[in-house]
Amino acid sequence: MGRSRRTALRTTAAGALSASLIAGGVLALTPDAHAAGVRAGAGTATATRAGTDVRYVDITAADGTVLKANVVTPTGAADGSRHPLVVLPTSWGFPQIEYLAQAKELAASGYVVLSYNVRGFWQSGGGIDVAGPLDVADARTVLDWALAHTPADPDRIGMAGVSYGAGISLLAAAHDPRVRAVAALSGWGDLIESIYSGRTQHLQAAALLDTVGRVAGRQSPETREVFSAFYSSDLSKEKEILAWGQKRSPEAYADRLNRNGTAVLLANGWGDTIFPPNQSVALYEKLTGPKRLELRPGDHATAELTGLFGMPNDVWNDSRRWLDHHLKDTANGIEREQPVQLKSRSAGGYEGYPDWKSVSADRRRIALTDTATIHTNVNSGADGGIVFLSSILDQIARLPPMASIPLLPRAWAAVWQSERYPTAQQVRGTAALHTTVTPTEESGTLVAYLYDVGPLGLGKLVTHAPYTFHGRTPGQPFGLDLELYSTAYDVPAGHRLALVVDTVDPLYIEHNPSGARLTFSSPENDPSYVSVPLREQ
């Protein structure tokens, strides 16, 4: 591993550690956190507040691992009646009190809620399994325990969670038909597509997960080996990593979710730097049962964060409506709404669509006619930003990563621009790049960016995606088709779109040999273009 890569890892690790400590500190300041810290080791202590009872319990997994959990029930639930059950696995690196505010809301409306710390984190035993077979087995054990020790109704079981909890909920539902409904918030459909899309390691995302796992948990030997192989770019380990990731990808079990008839809500952020939205869309497209897809501005888990503190929150509100409808048969209107709900990063409220295909009612091509040759190994100034920080700025202040398009050095960045648009263009869906690449080396990495360019040449990032190739013949051209990350962005009238391609981005590990060059051309029989998806005007 080169010096620059080690520096990037150290920088990202420091940022991840800071984020973890801040999140833990904020949670520790809540009144419920103090109560949890006092009672975490007790199996019989209870607390009553706002019409709910809270118990802190130990649940023993099949292999003897002890999982720390809390159970929240409606006050007076021990009257012999049965209540719908919602199980909440914790997020990566978060303690068992993570969902306490939402659990009390659910319990106050008649649910039994069980939240547990997944294995390998905080006070739960075992090693981190990264949503593997042990985590799936743990979820089944937790369901069994809840049915045996709480007034839960075995015919009305749901699961929900944020991030890691979302992925485990989907995997558990695929393997256990007792789970009737899932609300997966900031989760993943395909783990490999999330952190290895375009055959490119998402360096900052992986380093953040790795560091939080070390700080707040205990990595299993298998998990440590996978992270090490991932960083080292060891292609001899690639098949093993792909198989490891597929086993942990809900999309691989979509047929089971369909067979079980599981009602699935998927909610993600447009700027999610851990689990970009494309792979969740792919899972949504494969589901045939009751389903709903919600995409909003924000980075990983930022859209639902305020709800963890009990504040009003669209994501959690829709999750409760989803669970109410499918576990309580409540006619709350969610069944009559369009199943695809999008919110633009630029302005406005929610837009409803009957399916994902309808999101991009129109597509326009920007021709990439000029041949361009760029040198590698240098960051041109165009990049996807910083994990978490950049998308949060976009979410709160509508300030995505920016670059001065006229000032980008053409030696290291290829640039093509559209004409100025006389009317606003509502980009919706997945932009796609098609071009011909001629490398001087057998391996290489490129990153494609789509910018909204104003009159003064300042470009605001609309979307981007990386791509890595290996085993190519130097000097021989090959066709490239690359889907950029799905988004919803409004380009103002008088602006233009620009496609920029360079070879270095701090978000990713690059595979360009020193001195390599890439040439982008547009053969007459196979012209190059970027296809931009637009909402029907």
Side-chain angles (χ1 to χ4, degrees):
M1 184 181 294
R3 178 181 300 175
S4 62
R5 190 176 301 173
R6 287 197 300 270
T7 302
L9 276 170
R10 285 196 298 269
T11 302
T12 303
L17 176 59
S18 299
S20 176
L21 292 175
I22 291 170
V26 170
L27 285 170
L29 292 176
T30 65
D32 292 328
H34 177 70
V38 172
R39 300 187 178 91
T44 58
T46 62
T48 302
R49 182 179 175 186
T52 60
D53 296 334
V54 182
R55 283 192 297 152
Y56 295 89
V57 302
D58 292 347
I59 299 175
T60 303
D63 64 351
T65 297
V66 175
L67 306 175
K68 296 294 182 176
N70 59 63
V71 181
V72 188
T73 54
T75 299
D79 59 1
S81 60
R82 290 289 177 178
H83 298 261
L85 168 68
V86 175
V87 172
L88 303 167
T90 53
S91 302
W92 184 273
F94 276 73
Q96 60 167 304
I97 60 166
E98 175 186 7
Y99 302 115
L100 208 49
Q102 287 299 321
K104 289 183 175 182
E105 292 279 350
L106 287 164
S109 66
Y111 288 92
V112 171
V113 186
L114 192 156
S115 175
Y116 72 98
N117 234 126
V118 293
R119 68 168 53 226
F121 283 104
W122 292 86
Q123 292 174 313
S124 286
I128 299 171
D129 194 37
V130 195
L134 292 175
D135 282 316
V136 173
D138 287 348
R140 178 182 290 272
T141 297
V142 169
L143 292 181
D144 292 341
W145 188 95
L147 293 175
H149 296 88
T150 74
D153 186 341
D155 296 322
R156 294 186 292 166
I157 297 175
M159 293 188 69
V162 176
S163 184
Y164 197 41
I168 291 175
S169 294
L170 287 167
L171 291 164
H175 289 83
D176 194 329
R178 294 178 295 179
V179 181
R180 286 179 48 185
V182 170
L185 316 181
S186 289
W188 70 91
D190 186 326
L191 188 58
I192 293 300
E193 272 299 302
S194 297
I195 60 173
Y196 193 55
S197 66
R199 211 177 177 185
T200 307
Q201 297 103 313
H202 294 208
L203 174 64
Q204 289 189 11
L208 189 148
L209 293 173
D210 184 13
T211 304
V212 172
R214 290 171 183 254
V215 171
R218 299 164 302 282
Q219 294 182 352
S220 67
E222 181 186 35
T223 300
R224 184 69 256 140
E225 183 179 344
V226 167
F227 273 116
S228 297
F230 185 85
Y231 294 140
S232 70
S233 304
D234 184 354
L235 290 178
S236 68
K237 299 285 187 180
E238 187 177 40
K239 288 185 178 180
E240 294 177 28
I241 293 176
L242 293 177
W244 176 89
Q246 184 179 36
K247 188 185 297 184
R248 291 159 168 81
S249 297
E251 187 179 345
Y253 308 101
D255 58 335
R256 296 190 184 187
L257 289 166
N258 294 334
R259 187 166 59 247
N260 294 343
T262 313
V264 176
L265 163 65
L266 302 173
N268 285 77
W270 290 121
D272 196 320
T273 45
I274 307 294
F275 304 130
N278 299 46
Q279 43 81 38
S280 288
V281 170
L283 171 59
Y284 177 83
E285 290 281 81
K286 287 189 176 182
L287 297 176
T288 58
K291 60 181 180 177
R292 182 179 173 96
L293 175 67
E294 299 183 355
L295 294 169
R296 300 174 174 83
D299 205 306
H300 184 66
T302 60
E304 50 267 48
L305 182 62
T306 57
L308 294 179
F309 300 102
M311 299 170 64
N313 183 278
D314 286 353
V315 188
W316 284 104
N317 182 57
D318 284 350
S319 298
R320 288 195 297 271
R321 293 171 63 219
W322 185 255
L323 295 171
D324 284 349
H325 180 66
H326 291 285
L327 299 182
K328 291 182 172 181
D329 298 321
T330 303
N332 53 22
I334 200 167
E335 72 278 10
R336 297 189 300 273
E337 296 173 0
Q338 299 276 37
V340 176
Q341 294 286 321
L342 311 181
K343 190 172 185 180
S344 170
R345 291 164 47 205
S346 304
Y350 289 94
E351 306 164 359
Y353 300 87
D355 50 41
W356 179 253
K357 183 179 180 180
S358 301
V359 172
S360 305
D362 187 20
R363 298 190 77 92
R364 295 185 186 176
R365 290 185 177 183
I366 300 173
L368 312 179
T369 54
D370 296 332
T371 297
T373 297
I374 59 174
H375 296 264
T376 63
N377 311 121
V378 174
N379 187 344
S380 70
D383 61 54
I386 301 172
V387 65
F388 277 124
L389 178 60
S390 296
S391 290
I392 291 175
L393 285 174
D394 186 32
Q395 176 185 0
I396 296 174
R398 295 178 186 163
L399 291 174
M402 300 181 189
S404 175
I405 304 304
L407 297 181
L408 291 176
R410 279 11 183 207
W412 294 288
V415 180
W416 300 266
Q417 297 191 73
S418 71
E419 298 297 324
R420 297 188 190 277
Y421 295 110
T423 60
Q425 305 294 298
Q426 295 180 311
V427 179
R428 299 290 187 275
T430 310
L433 168 65
H434 174 76
T435 190
T436 297
V437 183
T438 304
T440 59
E441 303 288 343
E442 66 173 14
S443 295
T445 296
L446 60 92
V447 186
Y449 308 89
L450 188 65
Y451 282 97
D452 160 26
V453 185
L456 299 179
L458 182 64
K460 295 182 177 181
L461 187 63
V462 177
T463 181
H464 78 287
Y467 179 83
T468 293
F469 60 88
H470 297 287
R472 294 291 180 178
T473 302
Q476 182 173 319
F478 66 90
L480 167 64
D481 287 288
L482 175 63
E483 287 191 341
L484 279 59
Y485 299 142
S486 302
T487 195
Y489 182 96
D490 299 343
V491 179
H495 287 213
R496 65 179 76 200
L497 287 170
L499 181 79
V500 177
V501 181
D502 72 1
T503 63
V504 176
D505 190 308
L507 287 171
Y508 310 108
I509 291 179
E510 53 123 344
H511 297 263
N512 297 297
S514 180
R517 298 183 305 280
L518 300 176
T519 297
F520 302 92
S521 57
S522 183
E524 289 187 9
N525 62 343
D526 187 20
S528 296
Y529 60 85
V530 58
S531 175
V532 181
L534 298 174
R535 183 186 184 191
E536 186 174 9
Q537 302 295 309

